[in-house]
Amino acid sequence: MFKRFAALFAVLIASFAISTSASAKTNAFFGFLDWDAAAAQAAINNGERVAINIWADWCPNCTSQRRSLSDLIKSDPEAYGDVKVFAIEYDDPNRPAAVGSHPIPNSSARTTIIFFGGGQELAVYGGQSPFEMAEILM
């Protein structure tokens, strides 16, 4: 009886870990918007602060970068609450070939965020530092 209970408990814990891991990579989890080219372009044209996040769910660096950006925005809603983050999944067959001046190559993924502000492209960023992201957004 105890062995059955232990096995059932182990299966429940494993399924929870798998579902938590999967949901932890969704745009909703990070507070990001799904890619919408028209909405992103409208926000850029309106001079809003926009970040375009190019990511892949199999890329641990992408997850770290997404977490850093999300944590930065959530850390100070007064300073960063107006930043709109649109996420482009690298493996999406309908993803754009380029965003701003940055081409999205077909050969390999790069952890990248493209920042816009005041209607201009501010930076193409490949790091994970929330401090550097904050400097770009200022």
Side-chain angles (χ1 to χ4, degrees), residues 67-124:
R67 185 173 295 116
S68 292
L69 180 58
S70 178
D71 288 348
L72 171 67
I73 291 170
K74 292 174 184 173
S75 73
D76 191 346
E78 192 171 310
Y80 305 109
D82 66 325
V83 176
K84 291 184 178 176
V85 181
F86 292 91
I88 299 172
E89 188 171 358
Y90 178 80
D91 293 323
D92 182 347
N94 297 317
R95 70 173 163 77
V99 174
S101 67
H102 183 71
I104 304 172
N106 288 324
S107 58
S108 66
R110 255 185 60 205
T111 308
T112 303
I113 301 174
I114 305 164
F115 290 99
F116 294 86
Q120 303 291 320
E121 184 175 314
L122 302 174
V124 176

Side-chain angles (χ1 to χ4, degrees), residues 37 40 46 60 65 72 78 103 117 125 128:
N46 288 335
Q65 186 182 54
L72 171 67
E78 192 171 310
Y125 180 72
Q128 300 174 14

Side-chain angles (χ1 to χ4, degrees), residues 3 10 15 24 44 52 64 72 76 82 95 115 133:
K3 286 183 182 180
S15 64
I44 292 166
I52 309 293
S64 294
L72 171 67
D76 191 346
D82 66 325
R95 70 173 163 77
F115 290 99
M133 292 180 205

